[in-house]
Amino acid sequence: QFLRRQQEVAKEFSSFFANNVLTSEKLWDSILNDPSTKSSFGLLFTNHLKKFANVLSGGVGFLLPGGILTKASSSALEKLPNHL
């Protein structure tokens, strides 16, 4: 019985999963708020912001006060959940 309905069941399950379990809102909530992912995402975000700033400056680096990019990253990460 199941083998005959396998494709139908798979379509229903994938639809349910995509619409109720694996939504972008739930993924972002997990990334930004789950203790097991929050710090890793913060580090990744900060590192990419620093690389991006280096590229924008032509590879010579900005002459900014120490830690300002880290502070900017922290501020962005704090505000990000309100924009999703």
Side-chain angles (χ1 to χ4, degrees):
Q1 179 73 10
F2 174 75
L3 291 177
R4 284 185 274 154
R5 294 190 60 229
Q6 186 174 5
Q7 286 188 336
E8 178 187 348
V9 171
K11 285 180 185 178
E12 288 180 31
F13 177 77
S14 65
S15 176
F16 174 82
F17 195 80
N19 293 317
N20 298 296
V21 178
L22 193 59
T23 65
S24 60
E25 291 87 2
K26 289 181 181 183
L27 284 172
W28 276 111
D29 182 59
S30 176
I31 290 168
L32 297 173
N33 298 311
D34 187 314
S36 68
T37 57
K38 186 175 180 176
S39 62
S40 296
F41 179 75
L43 183 60
L44 179 70
F45 185 87
T46 301
N47 287 340
H48 279 280
L49 177 62
K50 289 176 179 179
K51 288 178 186 178
F52 180 68
N54 190 44
V55 168
L56 285 180
S57 68
V60 295
F62 283 116
L63 298 176
L64 297 172
I68 196 146
L69 290 176
T70 301
K71 289 178 186 175
S73 176
S74 294
S75 178
L77 287 167
E78 182 180 311
K79 295 175 183 178
L80 187 58
N82 298 324
H83 297 281
L84 299 175

